[in-house]
Amino acid sequence: MSLPTIFIDGDQGTTGLLIHDHLRDRADLELLTLAAAERKDPRRREEAINECDIAILCLPDAAAREAVGFIRNPDVRVLDASSAHRTHSEWVYGFPEMTHGHAQRIAQARRVTNPGCYPTGAIALLRPLVEAGLLPRDYPVTVYATSGYSGGGKAAIEAHESSDIPIVALSQVYGLALEHKHTPEIQGYAGLAHRPFFVPAYGAYRQGIVLTVPVELRLLASGVDGVRLRACLAHHYANVRHVKVMSLADTKAMTHLDPQTLNGTNDLQLGVFANPDHSQVLLSAVFDNLGKGASGAVVQNLDLMLSV
């Protein structure tokens, strides 16, 4: 029996290169690659995408839509790492741990859209709490997140690492027009009634994300506190491999969150920091924007798609 053929369209970008590194030595699949001169040839790309079993798209949004338009072979399945299809109703959202049974939906899907890096952390924190009724759907959610500068892609990496300007001076809060493309994704998959306030930033380091969501307990139902919020998250992720919820003892002992803690992994660490005296809770997520936030999630979803 022949091995499944995987074609990475856009394998020279940051995410594509990492996915290629993950897959190139695997004996259970065959990678279809194009010569350098063919990578931007629409005809050759169209041929390749129709010859493969699963196409992984690591492209800008417009190019990803173009690539999907190339498909004539009904047997070709697609895993899109761009944001082109993330809120499209006909695509399955590629966050396996999001809800019970969702990993099986991904495994059986013809079209899977990989989550954005920031939404991965935000949805992981918010969706279980909203589904459990602990966080109202109309809660005024604010998401603060800082990513390594690699989140800006290959051009951003080159700009930071080749610049004469000290990297620390290139740290920035951005998205000040409040139109960041990840915001509808967060709202939709977290189950929020209203658009969340999303404040992203790039830090003075290459990769890793720390994301936080502040919660005012006075706006929640009576009796909801940090213990219940943490218990809800721990129950939701009790039997999954890549998402871990810190104990309240661990969070109480922590004085800072290091966004680089899980770099090089496909893991996501969630925390609940509570101050009962002030009736405030801080939800946190730490993960690698190039791992669980990008290439690691793609490989996880690919393995699910190959499992059926």
Side-chain angles (χ1 to χ4, degrees):
M1 191 170 82
S2 61
L3 296 176
T5 302
I6 312 300
F7 171 52
I8 307 172
D9 195 357
D11 62 1
Q12 296 304 298
T14 304
T15 299
L17 286 169
L18 286 171
I19 295 169
H20 193 277
D21 287 346
H22 282 300
L23 301 181
R24 64 185 175 187
D25 295 326
R26 286 181 47 166
D28 61 331
L29 53 81
E30 181 179 349
L31 277 179
L32 173 60
T33 59
L34 297 180
E38 298 178 321
R39 290 177 189 139
K40 294 187 178 181
D41 181 344
R43 180 189 60 81
R44 188 65 191 96
R45 286 174 56 219
E46 182 173 355
E47 290 176 353
I49 204 168
N50 282 285
E51 291 170 2
C52 73
D53 293 298
I54 300 178
I56 300 175
L57 309 182
C58 300
L59 302 163
D61 288 3
R65 295 187 187 98
E66 177 188 55
V68 173
F70 287 158
I71 298 174
R72 303 287 179 265
N73 181 351
D75 294 328
V76 173
R77 303 169 75 192
V78 182
L79 177 49
D80 185 6
S82 82
S83 61
H85 301 98
R86 285 183 186 150
T87 57
H88 197 294
S89 62
E90 295 180 4
W91 288 64
V92 175
Y93 194 60
F95 185 14
E97 301 88 356
M98 185 170 70
T99 59
H100 177 71
H102 197 70
Q104 189 60 27
R105 286 193 65 205
I106 294 170
Q108 297 173 342
R110 310 299 302 173
R111 301 287 184 266
V112 176
T113 175
N114 216 56
C117 55
Y118 295 126
T120 295
I123 294 163
L125 290 168
L126 295 167
R127 175 128 183 182
L129 302 181
V130 172
E131 285 189 338
L134 299 180
L135 192 75
R137 292 185 66 247
D138 61 354
Y139 186 88
V141 168
T142 298
V143 178
Y144 299 97
T146 302
S147 170
Y149 56 78
S150 60
K154 197 170 184 178
I157 294 172
E158 292 174 355
H160 281 73
E161 298 182 353
S162 64
S163 175
D164 293 332
I165 303 172
I167 288 178
V168 67
L170 296 171
S171 301
Q172 57 185 267
V173 174
Y174 66 103
L176 301 182
L178 306 181
E179 289 287 355
H180 197 286
K181 65 181 181 180
H182 286 336
T183 310
E185 183 182 346
I186 294 172
Q187 178 182 349
Y189 292 107
L192 302 174
H194 306 296
R195 183 182 179 90
F197 207 108
F198 177 46
V199 184
Y202 288 135
Y205 57 95
R206 193 176 194 275
Q207 67 192 83
I209 285 178
V210 59
L211 178 147
T212 58
V213 179
V215 177
E216 295 281 358
L217 295 180
R218 61 184 172 80
L219 301 180
L220 307 187
S222 176
V224 177
D225 57 10
V227 174
R228 288 189 63 187
L229 295 175
R230 190 266 168 193
C232 176
L233 293 174
H235 176 75
H236 184 87
Y237 298 110
N239 298 309
V240 301
R241 175 183 175 186
H242 292 293
V243 184
K244 303 302 176 187
V245 181
M246 289 187 288
S247 70
L248 289 175
D250 286 343
T251 55
K252 189 174 182 179
M254 294 182 74
T255 58
H256 68 280
L257 287 167
D258 181 354
Q260 303 177 88
T261 300
L262 294 176
N263 281 359
T265 76
N266 188 46
D267 295 334
L268 174 63
Q269 182 187 72
L270 306 181
V272 178
F273 297 82
N275 187 317
D277 292 339
H278 301 309
S279 296
Q280 292 178 324
V281 167
L282 186 69
L283 309 175
S284 71
V286 173
F287 55 106
D288 185 353
N289 60 290
L290 300 181
K292 186 63 169 169
S295 62
V298 168
V299 174
Q300 183 183 358
N301 287 324
L302 175 65
D303 285 339
L304 287 170
M305 295 171 77
L306 290 173
S307 69
V308 294

